[in-house]
Amino acid sequence: MRLALFLLMTGLATACTQFPELDATATPGVADAPYPDLLPIDQLLRGSAARATPEVRAGVEARAAALRGRAAALQGPVIDAATRRRMAGGVATR
């Protein structure tokens, strides 16, 4: 019973956590902007496609390239060869 109460309290405490990195990404004025109108899906699908400005496109492409670079760096071995050889020797007991 105590474990269940502890898990419940931990879950409730984490639900109250602030995420400043998300708050910092909000466009200025968004909090005060009115809610958009709800439209039928047919009307939305008939509308023109969104277009990105060259600046937005360059920013997205730069971020994608940086993420690809990070992903490539993570593809290497986790344990270097020297450490792997040392680990293969086992643990010496006295």
Side-chain angles (χ1 to χ4, degrees):
M1 183 65 179
R2 286 185 178 180
L3 179 61
L5 181 60
F6 173 75
L7 292 175
L8 176 66
M9 296 305 285
T10 302
L12 291 174
T14 58
C16 299
T17 302
Q18 297 294 319
F19 295 99
E21 64 276 1
L22 295 178
D23 293 337
T25 62
T27 305
V30 158
D32 300 325
Y35 284 102
D37 293 332
L38 295 177
L39 301 172
I41 190 73
D42 295 338
Q43 186 176 351
L44 292 173
L45 293 176
R46 281 183 301 208
S48 62
R51 297 178 189 247
T53 63
E55 295 82 17
V56 170
R57 182 179 296 271
V60 170
E61 288 173 354
R63 182 176 165 119
L67 290 172
R68 283 188 202 97
R70 287 179 61 192
L74 293 172
Q75 296 299 314
V78 175
I79 301 171
D80 62 88
T83 304
R84 187 173 297 281
R85 282 192 302 276
R86 187 174 54 82
M87 290 170 55
V91 177
T93 58
R94 295 181 192 213

